[in-house]
Amino acid sequence: MRKLKRVYACQTCGATFPKWVGRCDACGAWNALVEEIEEVTPSSSVPGKSLELCSLGGLISQIDRLQSGVEEFDRICGGGIVAGSVLLLGGEPGIGKSTLLLQILARLSQKYPCLYVSGEEAVDQIRLRAQRLGVRDATVSLIATTRLEDVLETLEQQETDFQVLVVDSIQTLGTSSLDSAAGTVAQVRASTGALTERAKTQGIIVFLVGHVTKDGMLAGPKVLEHMVDTVLYFEGDRGQPFRLLRAVKNRFGACDELGVFEMHDTGLTEVSDPSSIFLTRRQQPVPGTAVFVSIEGTRPLVVEIQALVGSSGFSTPRRSVVGWDINRLHMIVAVLETRCNLSFGQRDIYLSVTGGLRLNEPAADLAVAAALSSALTQRPLPLNTVVFGEIGLTGEVRPVSQHLARLKEMQKLGFQRAFAPPGDVTLPEVQEVMNLPAFLALLDMAKR
Ligand code: TYD
Ligand code: MG
């Protein structure tokens, strides 16, 4: 007999509690508990059996990878999409998830039967998008439903053996065997579980679209990320044409790879040499700007970091960042104030990474410090110069990974000079920097 239990599930991390509480004990999220009905399965009494032991060095069965032909996408997936894997594509509403998947599906459908399940849009809307993308003739099958049972039955009953399935989005899909509303932890877990099982048993590739909240987390349960093989994030600034695709989890390839796309009227195109698209080329030096060579995955990207320091109209001055970590900004300001005698005191600080890119690397510290000091002292950095290095709390400049790759990229783009920590190689263009006060003195930005 089915036994049902009432629980309160955190919509952020998936933890369940017998009583409602305002703050989830597991992840600390406020107001995230929702009442759900959970099915209690009686504990099984089947005894375990001793299994055959395997060695690490045994034969590995061949992994089958399908090529979509969208090279940026295949590369992010580790050189093709693995048959039988489940991929989750997260991103803010309107960033282009449905567009990207429809374009990939159109390519894949040239070789493999594909099914697109939409719980958000009607078939006509998807047709309109296909028309806009110029893929109307692709042999992609469409259904619009929000019921998991319909999807599974369609896969079962149709004569075509679908090899690729897109579910747009997983938050809209639900099963009627559960009483909770679509999008709740229980529903998302049940739908993902059923689809994952289908993917593994029949070798189908399943793409799930997931929404992210305004804090950039996948909306609803984190459990979703644990259940799938690959988690991709599609991000970018909606005001800018560039979109970045990032693998944050990949059971079949490297993480931290970055793919760059550009959004046009007719859909997304790949940017295969993105190194300098985020760069503003200048004829005149401008105070408050520094150029940084970032390494995203295996890709170097050259970006400009801009800072603005102005007197504040507020009792607590504003510190605002776009594309960088606010805590790291506080740290660098503290180091500049304590070790280099610069005073930002009652001033507002704005820091921005151009092009809508988000930097996660500590290697950008030195460029951030340079941009901030330059904005404060109104002394520009020399033209055609790049800056990189990590800053420690004592003001020392630490070596960073991929030193040579950064320098090579700088040479490729025609920069003549670099300020960088000591690395394995010495190049004539590189001025080595050991600590922050000496670096600022070199740039004539130290307090006089
Ligand atoms: P969409 O794929 O619907 O986003 P998501 O599924 O992530 O919510 O794309 C939404 C935006 O993309 C929409 O604002 C319009 C824009 N867009 C283009 O600029 N060109 C195009 O060819 C298409 C299809 C969409
Ligand atoms: Mg969509």
Side-chain angles (χ1 to χ4, degrees):
M1 204 190 90
R2 261 178 89 194
K3 216 171 134 197
L4 300 176
K5 191 174 90 180
R6 189 182 304 271
V7 293
Y8 293 87
C10 171
Q11 301 301 301
T12 308
C13 70
T16 53
F17 302 89
K19 281 207 176 104
W20 193 88
V21 280
R23 181 172 179 272
C24 169
D25 269 350
C27 70
W30 286 95
N31 251 341
L33 263 55
V34 169
E35 182 183 320
E36 290 185 6
I37 309 290
E38 205 175 55
E39 199 170 332
V40 187
T41 31
S43 56
S44 112
S45 56
V46 184
K49 59 179 184 210
S50 167
L51 298 175
E52 192 189 335
L53 304 178
C54 307
S55 70
L56 272 178
L59 274 181
I60 309 165
S61 50
Q62 188 67 34
I63 295 180
D64 234 354
R65 288 184 189 266
L66 312 195
Q67 305 296 326
S68 70
V70 180
E71 275 171 33
E72 287 290 286
F73 193 83
D74 292 342
R75 195 172 51 80
I76 303 288
C77 295
I81 312 156
V82 176
S85 67
V86 183
L87 298 94
L88 176 67
L89 178 65
E92 282 176 31
I95 206 74
K97 300 180 295 295
S98 308
T99 308
L100 179 69
L101 284 180
L102 193 58
Q103 282 185 270
I104 287 167
L105 222 51
R107 291 285 195 95
L108 282 170
S109 69
Q110 293 169 1
K111 287 186 255 167
Y112 315 98
C114 300
L115 178 65
Y116 187 103
V117 179
S118 179
E120 302 200 331
E121 292 162 308
V123 168
D124 280 353
Q125 280 173 296
I126 304 165
R127 284 188 178 145
L128 270 176
R129 179 177 295 124
Q131 191 171 12
R132 204 167 155 186
L133 299 174
V135 297
R136 278 196 61 157
D137 301 330
T139 50
V140 176
S141 309
L142 298 179
I143 54 170
T145 179
T146 54
R147 290 192 66 221
L148 173 69
E149 288 80 2
D150 292 350
V151 178
L152 296 178
E153 200 58 22
T154 310
L155 286 175
E156 197 73 36
Q157 296 299 328
Q158 292 292 325
E159 276 166 26
T160 333
D161 276 334
F162 288 109
Q163 283 208 36
V164 187
L165 170 72
V166 168
V167 175
D168 189 356
S169 66
I170 189 68
Q171 276 95 2
T172 55
L173 204 64
T175 161
S176 39
S177 69
L178 290 175
D179 289 339
S180 2
T184 51
V185 180
Q187 286 288 11
V188 167
R189 193 189 282 143
S191 305
T192 311
L195 293 169
T196 307
E197 195 194 308
R198 195 54 71 96
K200 302 292 170 206
T201 50
Q202 298 186 2
I204 304 178
I205 293 176
V206 178
F207 289 103
L208 305 174
V209 173
H211 292 275
V212 297
T213 57
K214 53 183 184 315
D215 330 320
M217 295 280 289
L218 267 166
K222 200 84 181 149
V223 275
L224 201 56
E225 292 198 16
H226 293 292
M227 293 175 80
V228 300
D229 299 305
T230 304
V231 180
L232 305 171
Y233 273 98
F234 204 35
E235 51 194 34
D237 190 335
R238 254 181 291 175
Q240 303 260 359
F242 297 112
R243 299 283 182 272
L244 307 169
L245 185 69
R246 220 184 266 278
V248 291
K249 164 181 173 179
N250 194 349
R251 288 187 183 148
F252 303 106
C255 278
D256 288 334
E257 272 297 339
L258 184 82
V260 184
F261 294 86
E262 193 173 352
M263 181 67 97
H264 299 281
D265 293 348
T266 50
L268 293 155
T269 52
E270 302 171 59
V271 182
S272 41
D273 186 14
S275 177
S276 61
I277 55 172
F278 299 106
L279 193 63
T280 329
R281 288 281 183 179
R282 300 192 184 281
Q283 301 300 323
Q284 296 290 325
V286 177
T289 65
V291 178
F292 168 61
V293 193
S294 147
I295 302 267
E296 292 286 343
T298 51
R299 278 260 176 95
L301 285 177
V302 182
V303 291
E304 188 176 84
I305 293 176
Q306 302 185 337
L308 189 67
V309 176
S311 59
S312 179
F314 304 100
S315 55
T316 317
R318 272 187 78 96
R319 305 276 137 113
S320 163
V321 286
V322 178
W324 175 253
D325 180 18
I326 184 88
N327 292 320
R328 225 148 165 110
L329 173 76
H330 288 311
M331 186 202 95
I332 290 171
V333 170
V335 175
L336 284 171
E337 291 194 326
T338 332
R339 309 280 172 199
C340 310
N341 283 325
L342 291 179
S343 171
F344 289 87
Q346 281 300 310
R347 291 167 195 263
D348 286 341
I349 300 178
Y350 299 90
L351 188 90
S352 152
V353 178
T354 53
L357 192 74
R358 200 186 147 72
L359 296 178
N360 298 317
E361 280 192 293
D365 288 354
L366 196 61
V368 170
L372 287 171
S373 323
S374 163
L376 182 73
T377 57
Q378 285 299 302
R379 290 179 173 272
L381 272 88
L383 269 185
N384 285 319
T385 304
V386 302
V387 182
F388 63 86
E390 182 182 340
I391 296 176
L393 289 181
T394 60
E396 88 271 20
V397 175
R398 291 209 216 115
V400 296
S401 62
Q402 314 239 39
H403 188 89
L404 189 60
R406 294 179 207 263
L407 294 178
K408 280 198 177 143
E409 193 60 25
M410 149 209 147
Q411 286 175 327
K412 190 179 123 194
L413 293 179
F415 286 88
Q416 282 140 14
R417 209 162 152 206
F419 291 103
D424 331 325
V425 281
T426 41
L427 294 180
E429 299 98 314
V430 182
Q431 187 124 23
E432 287 188 357
V433 181
M434 312 289 274
N435 67 67
L436 196 52
F439 172 57
L440 295 188
L442 205 67
L443 293 176
D444 200 16
M445 288 176 195
K447 192 167 181 184
R448 279 152 300 153

